[in-house]
Amino acid sequence: MELINNMAEEQNSEVGIISFVNKHSFKIFITTSIIISFIIVNISMFLYYGSGAAQLDLSRPGYQDVRDKIEVDDGEFYDYPDSGPMNDTVIDDFKVLYEKYVRKVKLIDAFGGDPLSPKELGIIPTTE
Amino acid sequence: MKVSKILVFICSMSIVFVGGILLIKASAQENNITNQQIEIIRGNCTSIKNILRQLRASDALLRVNRGQTYESISTKLMNGFNSRVSNNNFNNSNFVSITKNFNQALNTFRSSYKIYEENLSSVINIDCSKNPEMFYNSVVEARDKRNRVHANIIILNQYVYQYQSILNKFEKDYKPAINGVN
């Protein structure tokens, strides 16, 4: 008798859940969508900042001035073919191509200087 | 005997204690900020932050352009030439070794720039009119991180030059062999 009562209760609760879902299906759909999108956005933001992509993203606010100064590949620097013969001309051509890159690297002392020094920032230390 | 042991223990403990205090003092002096500087930071908070924002933008541009150049050197030139040397049955171990070191240094450069950028961004987010000391200390930290990025650039450039000298050596050493083959 107890078993039958339990089964009846379970059935009632199932019917209750189903009827609740049917009654509020639109609200449940909206809530679930918001929760899922919230989770996905969080995962994306985590990957965006964690992978270092954020540091390369110059479309962020505050980078408008420098955005158009990105060096665009104009085809001058092509993929060096890994197949083909090896002779004086090949080595000379490669040396010329490589020299172009070396000149590019030498051109600016990247991250050199000391722009974060108190002097550069105008926070000049003086003795009291 | 027991007393001398206790004395030695007390002496060594006091040396450690005094040494610790001196170390703390020394590190505090490194980031020492005067009252005058605190006032300067408070007064020029907005302009200092503008300088930092400009630096962050120009450094980001530098990171993108320089990163692109190094990436191209590795993928477009080094990899291609290394394979070509190998495909023609010449020893490319020196080239491969430098390329491997170069790629490792490139990864270090990427991560050290990321740390620097995050540091600088957090400095910009500090309210320097309310917390000038915290702001100053964070600037000192960001300065150190930027110097590390510069050190990575120097290492990468060294590998670029090393590859070039290996190339010259290859040309010199293998010229007779190349001419013999072709």
Side-chain angles (χ1 to χ4, degrees):
Chain A
M1 190 61 186
E2 206 179 317
L3 186 71
I4 294 168
N5 278 342
N6 282 345
M7 281 174 72
E9 260 176 43
E10 265 176 38
Q11 232 172 3
N12 282 342
S13 68
E14 269 175 35
V15 171
I17 291 167
I18 291 165
S19 69
F20 178 82
V21 169
N22 286 337
K23 207 175 174 184
H24 303 282
S25 57
F26 187 67
K27 284 177 190 168
I28 290 169
F29 169 71
I30 295 291
T31 313
T32 316
S33 306
I34 290 170
I35 291 168
I36 290 171
S37 51
F38 181 76
I39 292 166
I40 290 172
V41 166
N42 270 292
I43 292 170
S44 317
M45 293 305 279
F46 174 77
L47 291 173
Y48 176 68
Y49 285 104
S51 65
Q55 279 75 32
L56 299 175
D57 183 7
L58 299 187
S59 64
R60 287 180 293 166
Y63 296 87
Q64 299 94 326
D65 298 341
V66 296
R67 212 173 292 161
D68 55 340
K69 289 173 189 156
I70 298 173
E71 288 168 9
V72 184
D73 186 8
D74 53 2
E76 187 188 8
F77 301 109
Y78 55 89
D79 283 353
Y80 191 78
D82 56 2
S83 58
M86 181 64 73
N87 53 41
D88 292 351
T89 321
V90 167
I91 295 179
D92 286 341
D93 287 349
F94 182 76
K95 278 176 79 176
V96 169
L97 185 64
Y98 194 84
E99 182 57 37
K100 279 183 189 173
Y101 275 94
V102 173
R103 253 182 279 146
K104 235 181 148 185
V105 164
K106 273 185 187 168
L107 201 65
I108 312 165
D109 179 23
F111 298 97
D114 199 3
L116 288 173
S117 67
K119 193 184 168 192
E120 292 293 324
L121 292 175
I123 320 165
I124 306 148
T126 52
T127 48
E128 282 176 286
Chain B
M1 189 68 184
K2 215 175 183 184
V3 175
S4 67
K5 266 187 182 177
I6 291 169
L7 267 175
V8 168
F9 177 75
I10 289 170
C11 280
S12 53
M13 285 310 286
S14 21
I15 287 167
V16 169
F17 182 72
V18 171
I21 287 175
L22 286 175
L23 263 177
I24 291 165
K25 256 194 161 180
S27 63
Q29 267 173 353
E30 265 176 34
N31 297 351
N32 212 4
I33 179 168
T34 61
N35 288 335
Q36 206 178 344
Q37 281 178 295
I38 291 174
E39 287 314 310
I40 293 171
I41 292 171
R42 275 210 183 103
N44 303 321
C45 184
T46 319
S47 64
I48 294 169
K49 276 196 171 187
N50 280 338
I51 294 171
L52 293 180
R53 281 193 194 98
Q54 280 170 13
L55 178 70
R56 183 173 62 171
S58 62
D59 277 353
L61 179 70
L62 202 56
R63 160 68 183 90
V64 170
N65 286 338
R66 193 44 76 96
Q68 230 165 247
T69 305
Y70 288 136
E71 194 84 43
S72 297
I73 289 176
S74 173
T75 56
K76 290 186 175 179
L77 294 191
M78 288 181 173
N79 286 349
F81 191 75
N82 294 355
S83 301
R84 189 139 175 181
V85 170
S86 168
N87 290 341
N88 282 277
N89 300 321
F90 293 110
N91 180 13
N92 71 347
S93 58
N94 287 338
F95 291 116
V96 170
S97 156
I98 291 176
T99 307
K100 197 183 159 197
N101 292 338
F102 180 81
N103 287 335
Q104 276 171 359
L106 188 54
N107 284 333
T108 314
F109 163 68
R110 286 189 194 112
S111 55
S112 64
Y113 177 79
K114 185 175 174 277
I115 293 167
Y116 158 65
E117 203 271 350
E118 284 168 355
N119 216 295
L120 188 61
S121 295
S122 70
V123 174
I124 291 168
N125 289 330
I126 295 172
D127 187 349
C128 44
S129 55
K130 283 183 185 164
N131 301 308
E133 284 180 63
M134 189 186 173
F135 179 81
Y136 183 81
N137 289 333
S138 301
V139 167
V140 171
E141 210 180 308
R143 186 185 178 192
D144 175 56
K145 301 283 187 294
R146 196 176 189 276
N147 286 338
R148 283 182 201 186
V149 177
H150 184 237
N152 289 134
I153 290 283
I154 291 170
I155 293 169
L156 279 164
N157 289 352
Q158 278 170 354
Y159 286 128
V160 170
Y161 304 144
Q162 263 183 38
Y163 193 92
Q164 199 176 27
S165 60
I166 294 284
L167 183 65
N168 290 333
K169 195 175 175 292
F170 174 79
E171 188 186 25
K172 205 175 148 193
D173 291 351
Y174 285 82
K175 225 169 195 175
I178 291 166
N179 293 331
V181 167
N182 295 291

